[in-house]
Amino acid sequence: MVAGQAYARLDKVGDQAYINQLAKEAKEISGVEESKMVHAVNRLVQIIGILIIPLGLLLFFRSFISNQETLQVSVTSTVGAIVGMIPEGLYLLMTLALVLGAVRLAKQQVLLNSMKGIETLSRVDVLCVDKTGTITENKMAVRQLLPVADQKEFALEALSHYLEASQDVNDTIETLRAYPGIEKSGQAWSIKRLYPFSSKNKYAAVSFDQGTFVLGAPEYVLRQDLENYQSYFQDAAEEGSRVLVFGLYEGSNLEASLEAPVSPLLFILLENPVRENAAETFSYFERQGVKVKVISGDNPITVAAVAKKANIPHAANYVDARSLDSDEKIIQAAETYTVFGRVSPEQKQKLIQALQGHGHNVAMTGDGVNDILAMKKADCSIAMESGNDATKQIAQVVLLDSDFSHMPHIVAEGRRVVNNIQRSASLFLVKNIFSILLALTSTIFAFTYPLQASQMSLISGFTIGIPGFLLALEPNKARIRGRFLETVLKNALPAAIVDYLAVLVAVYCGHWLGLSPKEISTSSIILLAVVGFVIMYKLIRPLNRIKIGIMLLNIAGISLAALLLPRIFNLSGLSIAGILMTVLLSLLLEGLIWFFQFLTNKTVALYKKRK
């Protein structure tokens, strides 16, 4: 229903009802509806899963058959390689971070219909908002009634009968009915026909024996006669008041549209107070580099005035959407203007598509049926609890107290979750890429994989798992830049290559120096730990007490585990030659990480430039 009222017979109820089937389908997230972050992690795990089986088999046969190792050594080295390739704990970490984010938002009276919302809103760079209920409060009040000429008594009498007869149920009609200046007068007029309000036409009408009376937006009701009466309400509109006109229709046919002129009887000035915290909220988005677009069905002059009161940047840059009569004009206007007035539901959707076409991540707030098309098209949709039920059903985020000031908290929480998962995923991926590279090299050059599963677990626990989980809880409001998988790979690849080279050099130098296999693996573990803590330091900068504490805790933990439980982790003491080799390689590691990070950044920049 978008206009009027209807009576219906229910043939199916419960799970059989169409709306419940739609809700069930909406909850079954498809690949398109998945969060980009979750989708990226799923792809990553799929690729690793495909690689693990053939690599594992090749490693085992190369060790057992080609290298003539014992079954025990072949199995343990193969398992060590496989353990290194598996991003164990990444799904758990991601789930924990998302759940904690949802719990924190619930305490702020924010409901997540989809976990996708917490990520998409954190990546948004354009926020599209409606005027009523977002910038302003939901409370509406009659500011003034302006009669045309000397028709005040007749106008008020006709308006009283109109309000009594109308079956429209909306904030505007209820506000007018509650206004003490419009009193019921005499016996009710005989109703001939009702024409309900619709968002498309922007007016409603009631036909009596005394005539057909129209209530709606001046631009849609007066049309070509608008300029003759603009002086009545122009000043009020520029101050932010919403204007309605009540008039007598001079024609007889009102089936499709107003074909004859309307004689205005009364101009009604309505106002919604701007929210107290609106200016602060929009200032936050300006500081965060998020553009705000105000898209409303009201007069653009009125909307611009309200936007200016809320300190929305470039609020004076407005356009009447009725002039945007082609897709080309809408695409051009989307980037040019800040305030859009007299926007139809279809135009709202096209504006969202135009902004997305310009490469923006777009969020849309709404509370009415006329917002649904745009909200479904937006990257992130936010609904008010006071809004229409259908709007709340399709929205990813619902503000349960209809308070727009929660938006900065949602963005901050989304950034905390995504940034922390991104950082922790980089730590996980270092080990995975390194293990795959080392396994391939081991298979090609026919040497036994030098690390065992228990040793990889030691590295995973203190340089990835424990710090990853602890850092995932830390506040992080930095704006998210770049794609999730691209950023994670860019962070992880230099350290993974250095890990690979360090272990490779340790293996060959160890054999040349006559070190035992246990000494070589012990030296390799020390080098991996050094790289792990160096990359952790680079990812968590700038440091604070909590971050320093987490690093020191894990350094102490891995040192104690190695000293107190060497047999469990298959570690041994190092000879003087082994110590010298390990120290010399350790001193080179940070410089190598910087070098490969520089190469990676240059390569990515060149690729983007060519693309």
Side-chain angles (χ1 to χ4, degrees):
M1 288 291 296
V2 293
Q5 295 180 336
Y7 293 94
R9 185 185 71 184
L10 289 178
D11 292 326
K12 295 181 180 180
V13 296
D15 292 338
Q16 305 253 326
Y18 180 65
I19 186 65
N20 288 335
Q21 290 179 9
L22 284 179
K24 184 179 178 182
E25 288 177 16
K27 291 176 182 176
E28 295 174 359
I29 301 174
S30 65
V32 177
E33 287 299 315
E34 273 184 348
S35 155
K36 290 180 181 178
M37 179 177 66
V38 174
H39 185 64
V41 172
N42 285 341
R43 280 181 58 200
L44 189 64
V45 172
Q46 285 172 357
I47 292 168
I48 292 172
I50 292 169
L51 289 173
I52 279 177
I53 297 173
L55 269 178
L57 290 172
L58 284 171
L59 270 175
F60 175 77
F61 286 117
R62 179 63 102 174
S63 175
F64 187 64
I65 296 173
S66 301
N67 297 349
Q68 300 293 308
E69 297 285 0
T70 64
L71 180 63
Q72 182 182 358
V73 170
S74 300
V75 169
T76 53
S77 62
T78 302
V79 171
I82 291 173
V83 167
M85 294 181 215
I86 298 172
E88 74 272 23
L90 182 55
Y91 272 120
L92 179 60
L93 170 71
M94 190 165 61
T95 303
L96 179 65
L98 287 169
V99 168
L100 288 175
V103 170
R104 290 191 194 99
L105 289 176
K107 292 178 181 178
Q108 296 281 343
Q109 296 296 300
V110 177
L111 173 67
L112 292 176
N113 281 337
S114 166
M115 280 297 186
K116 178 184 177 182
I118 199 170
E119 180 194 351
T120 50
L121 191 54
S122 66
R123 294 181 179 273
V124 157
D125 60 351
V126 175
L127 176 63
C128 298
V129 300
D130 192 11
K131 175 180 75 72
T132 307
T134 302
I135 303 175
T136 65
E137 295 180 5
N138 284 317
K139 301 172 185 175
M140 188 182 293
V142 177
R143 174 180 167 183
Q144 194 177 359
L145 300 177
L146 301 174
V148 177
D150 297 325
Q151 305 181 78
K152 183 176 181 179
E153 289 185 9
F154 175 67
L156 289 176
E157 181 184 7
L159 180 58
S160 171
H161 288 292
Y162 175 96
L163 294 174
E164 188 176 354
S166 174
Q167 293 183 358
D168 287 329
V169 180
N170 54 54
D171 291 339
T172 304
I173 290 293
E174 296 304 323
T175 300
L176 291 172
R177 284 172 180 156
Y179 183 60
I182 306 173
E183 299 177 357
K184 292 183 180 180
S185 55
Q187 187 176 355
W189 289 356
S190 177
I191 303 169
K192 294 173 68 177
R193 182 157 182 187
L194 298 171
Y195 299 92
F197 175 82
S198 76
S199 298
K200 182 180 179 180
N201 294 330
K202 305 289 185 187
Y203 65 80
V206 179
S207 183
F208 301 101
D209 291 334
Q210 289 81 357
T212 299
F213 295 88
V214 181
L215 177 68
E219 295 89 341
Y220 288 82
V221 174
L222 299 180
R223 292 157 293 152
Q224 63 269 22
D225 295 330
L226 178 65
E227 290 186 7
N228 299 333
Y229 299 96
Q230 208 147 8
S231 60
Y232 279 89
F233 58 84
Q234 185 69 19
D235 291 342
E238 290 176 355
E239 292 173 4
S241 292
R242 182 183 170 200
V243 182
L244 296 177
V245 62
F246 180 69
L248 178 63
Y249 181 54
E250 296 180 5
S252 56
N253 184 13
L254 198 57
E255 287 293 333
S257 61
L258 294 169
E259 297 176 354
V262 175
S263 299
L265 302 174
L266 197 68
F267 288 100
I268 304 165
L269 305 183
L270 301 169
E271 60 182 5
N272 296 81
V274 175
R275 291 183 183 272
E276 290 182 8
N277 45 26
E280 182 183 346
T281 302
F282 289 116
S283 294
Y284 167 82
F285 283 113
E286 184 182 10
R287 292 193 302 272
Q288 298 299 318
V290 178
K291 293 181 181 178
V292 176
K293 305 282 185 180
V294 185
I295 302 176
S296 174
D298 290 343
N299 184 301
I301 298 173
T302 300
V303 181
V306 172
K308 188 176 180 181
K309 289 180 182 178
N311 287 345
I312 294 176
H314 314 296
N317 191 15
Y318 63 84
V319 64
D320 190 325
R322 291 176 300 166
S323 65
L324 307 177
D325 50 9
S326 68
D327 290 347
E328 290 75 18
K329 288 182 179 180
I330 291 175
I331 291 169
Q332 186 177 0
E335 281 288 309
T336 308
Y337 296 99
T338 298
V339 174
F340 300 82
R342 296 302 180 209
V343 184
S344 69
E346 291 77 15
Q347 284 179 317
K348 287 186 180 183
Q349 183 185 26
K350 289 180 179 180
L351 281 169
I352 299 295
Q353 288 176 307
L355 289 166
Q356 291 170 329
H358 287 296
H360 295 294
N361 288 313
V362 185
M364 173 76 189
T365 66
D367 57 4
V369 175
N370 58 333
D371 297 318
I372 288 178
L373 290 175
M375 290 175 70
K376 288 183 73 175
K377 182 57 63 176
D379 297 291
C380 183
S381 51
I382 305 115
M384 306 291 176
E385 175 61 26
S386 57
N388 183 276
D389 285 343
T391 308
K392 290 183 285 186
Q393 284 284 338
I394 64 101
Q396 295 171 12
V397 180
V398 181
L399 305 180
L400 296 177
D401 55 2
S402 302
D403 188 352
F404 187 70
S405 66
H406 291 314
M407 290 295 289
H409 298 292
I410 303 173
V411 173
E413 190 58 47
R415 289 181 177 180
R416 178 215 290 256
V417 169
V418 177
N419 278 322
N420 289 343
I421 291 176
Q422 200 164 261
R423 182 171 56 192
S424 298
S426 299
L427 295 175
F428 277 95
L429 210 58
V430 168
K431 183 195 69 167
N432 304 141
I433 296 173
F434 149 74
S435 297
I436 291 170
L437 290 174
L438 190 60
L440 284 170
T441 307
S442 176
T443 303
I444 294 168
F445 293 100
F447 64 86
T448 302
Y449 194 85
L451 303 172
Q452 296 185 18
S454 59
Q455 294 170 331
M456 292 306 298
S457 297
L458 179 66
I459 291 296
S460 297
F462 290 103
T463 66
I464 301 172
I466 296 173
F469 276 96
L470 293 176
L471 291 169
L473 307 175
E474 185 209 11
N476 192 333
K477 297 181 181 179
R479 185 177 176 185
I480 299 167
R481 300 182 185 277
R483 298 177 180 177
F484 178 84
L485 193 55
E486 179 185 300
T487 303
V488 169
L489 284 171
K490 192 170 72 172
N491 289 335
L493 194 58
I497 293 172
V498 172
D499 269 345
Y500 164 73
L501 292 175
V503 173
L504 213 57
V505 171
V507 169
Y508 281 102
C509 287
H511 284 303
W512 181 68
L513 293 170
L515 302 181
S516 67
K518 220 169 186 181
E519 281 185 286
I520 292 172
S521 62
T522 300
S523 176
S524 299
I525 289 299
I526 294 171
L527 294 172
L528 291 178
V530 171
V531 174
F533 288 117
V534 169
I535 194 64
M536 188 192 306
Y537 164 74
K538 290 182 177 295
L539 288 172
I540 67 176
R541 288 180 300 178
L543 296 177
N544 55 34
R545 289 182 180 179
I546 294 174
K547 293 176 181 177
I548 292 171
I550 291 172
M551 280 200 69
L552 293 176
L553 175 68
N554 285 280
I555 291 171
I558 197 170
S559 301
L560 288 171
L563 291 171
L564 299 178
L565 305 168
R567 293 184 63 185
I568 291 177
F569 297 108
N570 290 297
L571 302 175
S572 70
L574 295 176
S575 63
I576 294 175
I579 293 171
L580 288 173
M581 179 190 75
T582 306
V583 170
L584 285 173
L585 288 175
S586 298
L587 293 173
L588 296 172
L589 293 178
E590 185 174 359
L592 285 172
I593 291 174
W594 179 89
F595 174 72
F596 283 108
Q597 187 72 66
F598 175 79
L599 281 183
T600 304
N601 291 339
K602 284 291 184 183
T603 304
V604 171
L606 186 63
Y607 170 75
K608 285 184 176 180
K609 188 177 180 180
R610 287 185 175 179
K611 191 177 178 182

